[in-house]
Amino acid sequence: MRIKLLTGLRRGDLLRLTMSDLKEDGIHVMPHKTADTSGKRLIIGWSDELRDAIAMAKDVRPKLSPFLFCNRLGKPYIDEESGRAGGWDSMWRGFMARVLAETKVKERFTEHDLRAKCASDATTLEHARQLLSHADGRITERVYRRKPEFINPLR
């Protein structure tokens, strides 16, 4: 969840991350959605918080798997043929049940809502567009930037 909030990666791109994608200059990502069209790669630079989140994810994964997020057998959560991630979805449902039962959060949210939060928390529309790897800022603005715009008065 922390990595998603910091990077805004789509679920599929997050679940496809491998240890070899974690490089000295940042996390190298080929967005799956655009792999066959633009083929544009992203490098998400490191921050201290992102390094800590990645370290936490590494600590709980089976050491034999090349995937950052994998099941206890070291297999990826995402099925490349169907694009489905049933095990991941089950974990999310369990996580959401615990959040609702054990915290002050009373309203369900989705992984997609975390992507929108990432875009909303970005300081500019351009930064949000880059994080979400959108070619055009219009979809970022219309769908993902959910916080109200703060405007200073003229004087």
Side-chain angles (χ1 to χ4, degrees), residues 96-142:
M96 187 54 37
R98 282 189 57 210
V99 165
L100 294 171
E102 299 172 13
T103 70
K104 293 181 181 181
V105 174
K106 297 301 171 209
E107 192 174 324
R108 289 188 173 279
F109 58 91
T110 66
E111 273 191 88
H112 204 254
D113 292 328
L114 297 179
R115 191 163 149 80
K117 178 163 179 30
C118 179
S120 293
D121 288 350
T123 53
T124 65
L125 174 60
E126 179 59 17
H127 186 216
R129 183 200 65 75
Q130 289 173 334
L131 280 167
L132 302 188
S133 66
H134 288 153
D136 188 326
R138 290 179 290 191
I139 192 74
T140 310
E141 178 68 33
R142 192 181 75 219

Side-chain angles (χ1 to χ4, degrees), residues 1-148:
M1 196 162 102
R2 288 179 66 201
I3 296 168
K4 184 150 188 127
L5 282 170
L6 293 168
T7 64
L9 286 172
R10 292 175 182 91
R11 179 183 75 164
D13 295 334
L14 190 70
L15 296 180
R16 286 181 179 91
L17 285 179
T18 64
M19 299 307 291
S20 62
D21 294 329
L22 310 176
K23 302 193 187 270
E24 207 171 298
D25 58 344
I27 302 171
H28 288 235
V29 180
M30 167 64 82
H32 191 72
K33 187 173 181 178
T34 59
D36 295 332
T37 54
S38 71
K40 187 174 180 181
R41 295 189 57 83
L42 305 173
I43 300 173
I44 301 168
W46 292 114
S47 69
D48 290 341
E49 196 171 346
L50 183 55
R51 280 188 196 277
D52 290 345
I54 292 290
M56 286 174 60
K58 284 179 177 179
D59 286 345
V60 298
R61 63 183 269 289
K63 304 296 184 219
L64 299 175
S65 178
F67 294 95
L68 180 60
F69 298 101
C70 56
N71 65 23
R72 64 179 170 244
L73 301 175
K75 303 285 186 204
Y77 279 109
I78 194 156
D79 177 354
E80 283 299 334
E81 287 188 30
S82 68
R84 300 197 62 212
W88 185 263
D89 293 340
S90 286
M91 284 193 323
W92 180 265
R93 282 190 298 275
F95 167 75
M96 187 54 37
R98 282 189 57 210
V99 165
L100 294 171
E102 299 172 13
T103 70
K104 293 181 181 181
V105 174
K106 297 301 171 209
E107 192 174 324
R108 289 188 173 279
F109 58 91
T110 66
E111 273 191 88
H112 204 254
D113 292 328
L114 297 179
R115 191 163 149 80
K117 178 163 179 30
C118 179
S120 293
D121 288 350
T123 53
T124 65
L125 174 60
E126 179 59 17
H127 186 216
R129 183 200 65 75
Q130 289 173 334
L131 280 167
L132 302 188
S133 66
H134 288 153
D136 188 326
R138 290 179 290 191
I139 192 74
T140 310
E141 178 68 33
R142 192 181 75 219
V143 176
Y144 293 93
R145 299 275 284 183
R146 297 180 181 174
K147 283 185 179 175

